[in-house]
Amino acid sequence: MANNVNNPCKVITGKCRLSYAHIWEPSSMDEKSPKKYSACIIWPKSDTAMTKKVEAAMEAATQDGIKAKWKGKKPAKLKLPMRDGDEERPEDEAFQGCWFLNANSSKQPGVVDLARNAIMDQEEIYSGCYCRFSLMFYPFSSNGNNGVAVGLNNVQKICDGERLSGGSRAEDDFDDGYMGDGDDLGDIM
């Protein structure tokens, strides 16, 4: 679970929860913004190893920004990607006791299972499942805003989780053993 030795801005996460999943089709916040693949990545505050990796990658990207984007000095107001779920999403149970960040890419991420086989079934990756992510932290300077953003490289599904979309699967809704009775077919014909 170590950062990439060759690039301190790259992080391979541990087990995180996927939310706001736009892995298969790009989307945008509004009509003016370009469509991108994206994911909100949630991890418990108790996972201090993950938190330290993200903090180290943010610092490395900040140093890159000082050298290449911000004229040799750290901007006074620097936007950082790691956010506190308890402060920013107190009403959302999925974010309680957790850190989160948003990652995106103009290129579709690779998606694999635990055995590193490509996942083609779009139903397999959804908001609420648990994954590992390959992320790249980088500095930005745009329209007077300076900060560190996160690129989404690849996704590895670890296991299923409760869906966060609020919807349910048909398989679960109708898992009550009902097999019909002889009169059911007559009612629909």
Side-chain angles (χ1 to χ4, degrees):
M1 213 167 80
N3 282 358
N4 185 319
V5 176
N6 297 324
N7 189 338
C9 294
K10 185 174 184 177
V11 170
I12 304 299
T13 74
K15 181 179 176 182
C16 298
R17 195 156 192 203
L18 173 61
S19 185
Y20 298 99
H22 297 283
I23 303 297
W24 303 108
E25 294 289 330
S27 70
S28 65
M29 296 292 246
D30 56 51
E31 293 174 9
K32 297 175 189 167
S33 301
K35 289 186 176 187
K36 292 188 175 193
Y37 297 93
S38 61
C40 179
I41 299 164
I42 307 168
W43 71 97
K45 290 180 179 177
S46 60
D47 186 348
T48 55
M50 170 69 179
T51 303
K52 287 177 182 175
K53 285 171 50 171
V54 168
E55 289 171 340
M58 287 189 308
E59 180 58 28
T62 299
Q63 293 305 314
D64 286 351
I66 291 169
K67 292 176 200 163
K69 296 235 180 237
W70 308 320
K71 300 177 183 165
K73 62 181 182 177
K74 184 175 176 179
K77 288 189 175 184
L78 192 64
K79 295 183 181 216
L80 296 174
M82 190 169 92
R83 296 157 57 192
D84 187 331
D86 293 317
E87 290 181 16
E88 294 196 33
R89 305 260 173 93
E91 72 292 340
D92 192 331
E93 199 174 298
F95 289 81
Q96 291 175 1
C98 294
W99 296 108
F100 72 99
L101 59 81
N102 296 309
N104 62 61
S105 175
S106 55
K107 180 179 146 253
Q108 185 173 16
V111 182
V112 297
D113 62 17
L114 276 173
R116 296 189 312 268
N117 297 312
I119 294 177
M120 306 308 274
D121 181 358
Q122 294 184 15
E123 293 296 314
E124 283 293 311
I125 303 292
Y126 54 87
S127 294
C129 72
Y130 291 88
C131 302
R132 293 174 65 213
F133 300 88
S134 169
L135 306 173
M136 184 63 73
F137 290 71
Y138 61 92
F140 70 86
S141 182
S142 175
N143 301 320
N145 293 313
N146 297 299
V148 173
V150 185
L152 177 62
N153 295 332
N154 297 297
V155 179
Q156 181 182 40
K157 182 177 179 183
I158 301 300
C159 63
D160 287 313
E162 184 179 336
R163 289 183 181 267
L164 297 176
S165 63
S168 59
R169 298 180 332 142
E171 295 91 337
D172 295 333
D173 282 348
F174 300 113
D175 184 24
D176 59 4
Y178 180 77
M179 298 304 287
D181 57 32
D183 294 335
D184 292 338
L185 291 176
D187 292 343
I188 57 172
M189 301 241 166

